């Protein structure tokens, strides 16, 4: 007998293809997940909640999305896979019903100095085509309007094989690019403060060079002293013009020092290549401090910051050059594009107009296309990535979002919710990691992870509807309807920080006095000018400690102990107790296991297939040489100490034989910011976004300064954690500090002593102070969008 075809309907009358309605996950063990099993409905909006570090990202991004991407990559040939990032299979028993995953995360869009909002979204590419077709005077191809293409020309002889014999021919070429030759398309030029590079009263042999790594004993110092272009015993102030030029600007030249062939290069080009080519955030702290001190970046005088050469700026459409178009607010640029009636480029105008309208629709109409991509906040970067998906005709796709409401005013959250629902209603599966109750409320399905963070989390506490979550006894369920109330008594300021004539970006000559000695919240819709007012306008010398949303840089060897400086006093305590050198107690130095070089695992590269990481058999994953583990402090070896949680280590280093005040102080601060559950040796790469920001906050709490500026510290925080954050802010103020918080969270607004509200809109519709006063006064007045939402939040 022949079998019935697999496409036959089931007994219920339902087609067998319609039976795959769920994404099934069984036995997920990625990071801290403890055999998690869930069933997620397709073509629905599922929100994942839970405290920061409970395993939400490990389940959604590290398991579901990662496996979907890995399986798609495997459909390509081995040759193509060789050029793609290799992805290991997640730790999970069963993953069933997956569809193509499109990840829209909060990773910064890269700090490449050449990347702008326009280049990242392809809007610039379409504008360049438009100007190459319609611009007058006509310049040529689209690359004539690109600030990444330099003009070049040349001629010469080339050898061509003809009829079996080589023939020489003369060829010429010419490329017309749009790059400004002065700044090379960066829009800014660097100038050096020479007094920060050397002390001109000293000679080179006396240590005149003050650049990090250029000491007399060091390799660079020996090169400069032995190059022969100047007398190393003569003070720099007595150098001739030629000698000073050779010291600072000489082009690469072959020399011999101590019978070793080397290349000598002037100090300034050397610094530009070794330091300025790097992302500032990736620099070591002392290098970053040197660059901030020695290098001054100014707007390029030739192109006025537009990055384009005179030719590209001269070609115009209806009196507007491409530089003018890129500098426009995107909402205005969209109107200008709609006003161009050119039948020859109608498809291009339609596509470009649709892209620009998507910016406005998603709440980013206040940006301009020439805005550097690296200056976007995490929330802005995520919304920029969403733009290419809004008009997509794809259906049955899984969209994965990481806190899409980050950086959004309550007024803008409703618009974001509409976009998520629209993606779902087109027939897509939408998975959202989120803490905001406004977004949790629109979910069709909720998965709550916990109950705690780190090792105390990783299990599913609740799965079901929003109503079921609200009725459950989980931490999220209990805090879902939390509402703060305005303070009855506010603190009195001890002074004021005066800002006068602030006009950075969209600020409109703002004058404001920020009270000191109190908790001040600066709020307003996204793009209203909050960050510009605080980060760019605070007077110099105000002793400000700024804690922004920038990502923490660190490899898999970095951990909370190394990042906070905690490892230093711990190593010294071990060294003192055992009479050996501190370097033995670093897995990145003398104490490293020789087999795995202190990594704890052996990585095997399998070309286009996912690499394999196996635990080092020599040290069994402990990272240290066996002889180092024999040294003890308080009965524990260094590996056991790094395996401790912060809370456990705080107790360990607080009393007894292991008492180390310097380590205990740092651990105290980590507990203060709610990171008591982290283990000291946990790789930074495994921390969630909220954990990273609180780690950064803990490291800055010891800095000397009277004014703390925090940029959206509730990002990545669970509803229950916000209360702990408010307690921390109160402790800072009570200790005599001034705290300025840029924030949208209503609980933080209600807790403030003073509110500065910017608006009324975004971009050129914002940039003005629309309210100054106490939260109670703002609620009573209801004169701004913030006032209306705060009044609704506190139930007035």
């Amino acid at each position: 007998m022949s079998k019935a075809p697999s496409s036959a309907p089931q007994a219920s009358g339902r087609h067998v293809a319609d039976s795959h309605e769920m994404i099934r996950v069984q036995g997920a063990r990625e990071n801290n997940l403890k055999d998690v099993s869930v069933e997620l409905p397709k073509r629905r909006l599922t929100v994942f909640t839970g405290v920061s570090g409970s395993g939400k990202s490990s389940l959604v991004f590290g398991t579901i999305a990662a496996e979907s991407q890995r399986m798609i990559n495997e459909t390509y040939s081995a040759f193509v896979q060789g050029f793609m990032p290799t992805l290991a299979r997640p730790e999970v028993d069963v993953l069933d019903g997956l569809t193509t995953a499109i990840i829209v995360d909060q990773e910064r869009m890269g700090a490449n100095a050449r990347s702008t909002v326009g280049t990242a979204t392809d809007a610039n590419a379409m504008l360049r085509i438009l100007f190459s077709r319609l611009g007058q005077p006509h310049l040529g191809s689209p690359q004539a309007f690109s600030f990444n293409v330099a003009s070049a020309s040349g001629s010469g002889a080339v050898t061509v094989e003809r009829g079996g014999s080589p023939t020489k021919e003369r060829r010429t070429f010419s490329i017309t690019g749009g790059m400004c030759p002065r700044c090379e398309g960066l829009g800014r030029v660097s100038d050096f403060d020479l007094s920060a590079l050397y002390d001109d009263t000293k000679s080179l042999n006396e240590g005149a060079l003050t650049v990090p790594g250029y000491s007399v004993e060091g390799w660079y110092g020996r090169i400069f002293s032995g190059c022969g272009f100047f007398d190393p015993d003569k003070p720099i102030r007595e150098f001739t013009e030629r000698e000073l030029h050779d010291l600072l600007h000489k082009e690469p030249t072959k020399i011999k020092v101590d019978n070793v062939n080397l290349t000598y290069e002037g100090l300034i080009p050397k610094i530009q290549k070794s330091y300025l080519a790097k992302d500032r955030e990736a620099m070591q702290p002392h290098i970053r401090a040197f660059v901030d001190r020695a290098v001054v970046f100014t707007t390029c005088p030739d192109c006025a910051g537009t990055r384009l050469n005179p030719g590209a700026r001269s070609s115009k459409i209806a009196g507007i050059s491409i530089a003018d178009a890129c500098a426009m607010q995107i909402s205005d640029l969209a109107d200008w594009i709609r006003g161009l009636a050119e039948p020859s480029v109608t498809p291009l105008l339609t596509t470009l107009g649709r892209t620009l309208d998507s910016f406005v629709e998603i709440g980013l109409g206040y940006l301009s296309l020439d805005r550097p991509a690296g200056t976007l906040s995490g929330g802005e970067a995520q919304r920029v990535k969403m733009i290419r998906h809004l008009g997509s005709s794809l259906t049955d796709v899984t969209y994965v979002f990481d806190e899409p409401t980050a950086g959004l005013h309550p007024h803008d959250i409703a618009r974001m919710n509409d976009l998520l629902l629209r993606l779902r209603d087109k027939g897509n599966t939408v998975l959202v990691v989120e803490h905001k109750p406004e977004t949790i409320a629109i979910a069709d399905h909720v998965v709550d992870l916990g109950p705690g963070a780190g090792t105390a989390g990783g299990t599913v506490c609740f799965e079901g509807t929003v109503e079921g979550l609200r009725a459950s006894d989980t931490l999220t369920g209990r805090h879902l309807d939390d509402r703060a109330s305005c303070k009855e008594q506010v603190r009195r300021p001890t002074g004021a920080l005066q800002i006068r004539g602030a006009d950075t970006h969209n600020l409109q000559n703002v004058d404001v006095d920020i009270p000191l000695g109190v908790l001040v919240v600066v709020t307003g819709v996204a793009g209203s000018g909050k960050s510009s007012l605080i980060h760019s306008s605070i007077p110099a010398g105000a002793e400000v400690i700024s804690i922004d949303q920038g990502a923490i840089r660190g490899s898999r060897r970095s951990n909370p102990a190394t990042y906070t400086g905690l490892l230093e006093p711990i190593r010294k305590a071990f060294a003192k107790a055992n009479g050996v050198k501190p370097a033995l107690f670093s897995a990145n130095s003398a104490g490293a296991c020789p087999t795995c070089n202190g990594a704890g695992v052996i990585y095997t590269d399998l070309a286009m297939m996912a690499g394999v990481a196996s635990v080092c058999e020599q040290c069994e994953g402990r990272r240290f040489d066996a002889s180092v583990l024999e040294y003890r402090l308080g009965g524990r070896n260094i590996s056991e100490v790094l395996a401790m949680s912060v809370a456990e280590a705080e107790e360990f280093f607080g009393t007894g034989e292991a008492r180390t005040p310097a380590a205990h102080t740092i651990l105290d601060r980590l507990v203060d910011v709610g990171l008591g559950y982290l283990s000291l040796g946990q790789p930074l790469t495994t921390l969630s976004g909220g954990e990273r920001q609180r780690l950064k906050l803990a490291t800055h709490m010891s800095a000397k300064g009277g004014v703390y500026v925090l940029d959206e510290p509730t990002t990545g925080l669970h509803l229950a954690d916000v209360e702990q954050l408010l307690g921390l802010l109160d402790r800072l103020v009570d200790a005599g500090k001034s705290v300025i918080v840029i924030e949208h969270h209503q609980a933080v607004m209600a807790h403030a002593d003073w509110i500065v509200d910017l608006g009324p809109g975004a971009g050129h519709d914002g940039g003005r102070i629309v309210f100054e006063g106490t939260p109670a006064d703002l609620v009573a007045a209801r004169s701004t969008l913030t006032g209306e939402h705060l009044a609704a939040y506190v139930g007035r």
Side-chain angles (χ1 to χ4, degrees):
M1 289 178 66
S2 62
K3 288 186 178 180
S6 60
S7 58
Q10 294 176 315
S12 62
R14 190 183 184 209
H15 199 287
V16 68
D18 295 330
S19 62
H20 306 285
E21 292 297 306
M22 305 291 262
I23 296 175
R24 292 191 308 119
V25 181
Q26 287 182 7
R29 296 176 299 279
E30 198 68 20
N31 295 328
N32 68 331
L33 297 178
K34 298 169 182 171
D35 277 320
V36 166
S37 297
V38 290
E39 289 195 345
L40 310 175
K42 288 186 181 177
R43 293 177 286 283
R44 296 293 183 271
L45 173 61
T46 300
V47 173
F48 295 79
T49 65
V51 296
S52 181
S54 60
K56 304 182 297 298
S57 295
S58 297
L59 176 59
V60 180
F61 291 92
T63 304
I64 298 171
E67 179 64 357
S68 173
Q69 287 204 316
R70 188 186 72 83
M71 294 178 79
I72 290 169
N73 288 359
E74 284 188 350
T75 64
Y76 296 106
S77 67
F79 174 75
V80 173
Q81 286 184 57
F83 296 97
M84 302 173 79
T86 54
L87 301 168
R89 188 182 188 280
E91 285 285 319
V92 63
D93 294 334
V94 177
L95 262 176
D96 205 18
L98 291 179
T99 66
T100 303
I102 295 176
I103 299 174
V104 190
D105 59 20
Q106 283 197 58
E107 286 297 314
R108 296 299 175 105
M109 298 184 70
N112 188 319
R114 298 188 176 277
S115 180
T116 65
V117 169
T119 59
T121 57
D122 295 336
N124 257 46
M126 289 184 273
L127 262 184
R128 292 199 298 270
I129 297 170
L130 182 66
F131 274 86
S132 71
R133 302 295 186 271
L134 303 181
Q136 293 297 329
H138 178 70
L139 295 185
S141 70
Q143 67 184 13
F145 298 92
S146 171
F147 54 74
N148 288 326
V149 179
S151 295
S153 61
S155 62
V158 296
T159 303
V160 183
E161 288 279 343
R162 281 221 175 92
S165 61
T167 307
K168 284 196 173 182
E169 293 184 0
R170 185 170 180 79
R171 296 278 175 90
T172 62
F173 76 92
S174 178
I175 298 171
T176 303
M179 178 188 288
C180 168
R182 172 79 179 269
C183 64
E184 297 184 350
L186 294 176
R188 59 180 190 168
V189 289
S190 58
D191 198 9
F192 285 83
D193 177 2
L194 298 183
S195 65
L197 303 184
Y198 56 77
D199 180 351
D200 65 358
T201 64
K202 296 179 179 179
S203 68
L204 291 173
N205 282 342
E206 290 172 334
L209 298 182
T210 55
V211 182
Y214 285 68
S215 65
V216 182
E217 299 79 18
W219 187 239
Y220 286 134
R222 288 166 61 193
I223 292 174
F224 277 90
S225 296
C227 64
F229 298 123
F230 30 71
D231 183 356
D233 292 315
K234 184 164 70 172
I236 292 180
R237 64 168 50 169
E238 296 176 14
F239 275 22
T240 63
E241 192 173 320
R242 178 69 189 176
E243 287 174 330
L244 193 60
H245 175 271
D246 287 347
L247 173 68
L248 295 176
H249 303 288
K250 192 170 183 68
E251 62 280 356
T253 307
K254 297 290 184 183
I255 63 169
K256 183 173 280 192
V257 177
D258 298 337
N259 291 320
V260 178
N261 291 319
L262 299 165
T263 299
Y264 173 87
E265 191 172 15
L267 192 58
I268 286 178
K270 196 85 174 170
I271 292 170
Q272 286 173 327
K273 288 177 184 174
S274 58
Y275 293 160
L276 302 190
K278 294 180 182 176
D279 174 20
R280 181 183 175 279
E281 289 300 316
M283 296 175 185
Q284 294 173 284
H286 70 288
I287 301 291
R288 190 184 314 147
F290 163 73
V291 170
D292 291 344
R293 186 173 66 248
V295 185
V296 180
F297 292 101
T298 54
T299 301
C300 175
D302 287 9
C303 67
T306 62
R307 305 169 179 243
L308 296 162
N309 60 30
R313 301 199 306 273
S314 68
S315 183
K316 297 185 178 182
I317 301 173
I320 298 291
S321 71
I322 191 168
D324 299 329
C326 289
M328 279 185 190
Q329 188 166 303
I330 288 174
S331 55
D332 295 340
L333 180 59
D335 292 337
W336 181 72
I337 291 293
R338 273 193 292 273
L340 297 176
E342 290 289 340
S344 61
V345 290
T346 297
L348 178 63
L349 290 173
T350 303
T351 306
L352 179 55
R354 194 181 298 131
T355 299
L356 297 174
D357 286 339
S358 294
F359 274 99
V360 179
E361 186 179 10
I362 210 165
L364 293 176
Y366 60 86
L367 294 177
S368 58
L369 294 182
D370 62 4
R371 170 89 173 260
T375 66
L376 298 177
S377 69
E380 285 173 332
Q382 184 170 212
R383 282 179 282 151
V384 165
K385 293 176 195 172
M386 281 181 72
I387 283 164
R388 63 178 66 246
H389 305 303
L390 291 182
S392 172
S393 300
L394 291 172
T395 60
D396 265 325
V397 169
T398 299
Y399 285 97
V400 186
F401 292 96
D402 185 11
E403 289 188 56
T405 61
L408 287 186
H409 187 273
H411 174 70
D412 299 315
I413 290 177
R415 185 187 292 177
M416 177 58 70
N417 285 349
D418 288 341
L419 291 171
L420 295 175
L421 292 172
R422 270 176 45 198
L423 284 172
R424 177 203 66 185
D425 293 345
K426 282 171 62 177
N428 298 306
T429 305
V430 182
L431 308 181
V432 183
V433 174
E434 188 54 84
H435 293 293
K436 293 281 174 65
E438 297 97 322
T439 301
I440 296 172
I442 66 165
D444 301 307
H445 189 73
V446 179
V447 178
D448 186 30
L449 283 100
T455 54
T459 60
V460 175
C461 299
F462 173 83
E463 191 179 356
T465 62
V466 179
E467 289 73 24
L469 175 66
R470 192 171 270 119
S472 71
D473 194 34
T474 66
L475 191 63
T476 306
R478 291 196 299 272
H479 288 272
L480 196 57
D481 293 318
D482 276 3
R483 293 294 180 266
S485 56
C486 294
K487 282 182 178 177
E488 293 183 11
Q489 285 291 123
V490 294
R491 301 178 183 92
R492 289 187 173 279
T494 57
L497 195 63
Q498 294 185 343
I499 296 176
R500 297 289 178 266
D503 57 2
T504 308
H505 296 138
N506 65 329
L507 294 177
Q508 300 183 22
N509 210 29
V510 170
D511 294 339
V512 64
D513 291 340
I514 308 276
L516 295 176
V518 297
L519 175 58
V520 178
V521 170
V522 180
T523 188
V525 296
S528 60
K530 305 180 296 297
S531 295
S532 300
L533 177 67
I534 300 303
H535 291 308
S536 307
S537 308
I538 285 183
E543 290 191 331
V544 172
I545 299 156
S546 183
I547 304 166
D548 60 17
Q549 291 188 49
I552 285 177
R553 306 279 173 175
S555 67
R556 56 180 171 237
R557 287 180 176 270
S558 303
N559 52 51
T562 58
Y563 182 79
T564 59
L566 172 65
L567 193 58
E568 193 65 25
I570 290 177
R571 286 166 53 200
K572 286 179 179 176
F574 265 95
K576 186 177 179 182
N578 294 281
V580 292
K581 60 182 182 180
L584 282 176
F585 303 99
S586 170
N588 299 325
S589 186
C593 165
T595 305
C596 63
N597 293 321
V601 289
I602 304 290
Y603 292 95
T604 307
D605 182 19
L606 297 177
M608 80 285 182
M609 298 178 71
V612 176
S614 53
V615 175
C616 173
E617 293 180 4
Q618 178 85 16
C619 66
E620 297 179 337
R622 289 194 286 260
R623 304 179 62 192
F624 291 90
D625 187 69
S627 61
V628 174
L629 299 180
E630 292 175 9
Y631 299 118
R632 295 187 173 267
L633 175 69
R636 305 281 187 103
N637 63 37
I638 185 68
S639 179
E640 289 167 342
V641 167
L642 290 176
M644 287 180 179
S645 70
V646 168
E648 189 183 351
E650 184 197 26
E651 189 177 332
F652 179 73
F653 288 107
T655 56
E657 182 195 338
R659 185 174 179 275
T660 310
H664 189 259
T665 302
I666 296 172
L667 291 162
D668 252 348
R669 291 198 295 267
L670 288 168
V671 171
D672 253 359
V673 297
L675 294 177
Y677 59 87
L678 283 186
S679 66
L680 303 185
Q682 184 174 339
L684 287 188
T685 50
T686 65
L687 300 187
S688 68
E691 286 169 335
R692 292 181 190 188
Q693 191 173 36
R694 281 182 286 162
L695 187 62
K696 190 187 286 190
L697 175 59
T699 60
H700 284 81
M701 280 172 65
S702 62
K704 292 178 181 176
V707 181
Y708 280 76
V709 174
L710 283 73
D711 194 349
E712 297 186 43
T714 61
T715 301
L717 286 191
H718 186 265
L719 299 162
D721 294 328
V722 173
E723 198 174 323
Q724 186 172 10
L725 174 72
L726 295 177
L728 174 64
L729 299 180
D730 278 339
R731 287 196 295 279
L732 284 172
V733 175
D734 293 339
K737 307 289 186 183
S738 301
V739 180
I740 303 170
V741 182
I742 300 169
E743 189 53 83
H744 295 292
H745 201 295
Q746 295 101 317
V748 181
M749 292 183 209
H751 198 73
D753 298 305
W754 191 260
I755 284 186
V756 177
D757 192 13
L758 279 91
H764 56 50
D765 296 326
R768 296 188 291 275
I769 304 289
V770 292
F771 177 84
E772 289 179 82
T774 65
D777 291 340
L778 178 59
V779 167
R782 295 196 185 205
S783 56
T784 68
L785 284 171
T786 305
E788 290 174 13
H789 284 278
L790 185 57
Y793 179 82
V794 299
R796 297 278 180 87

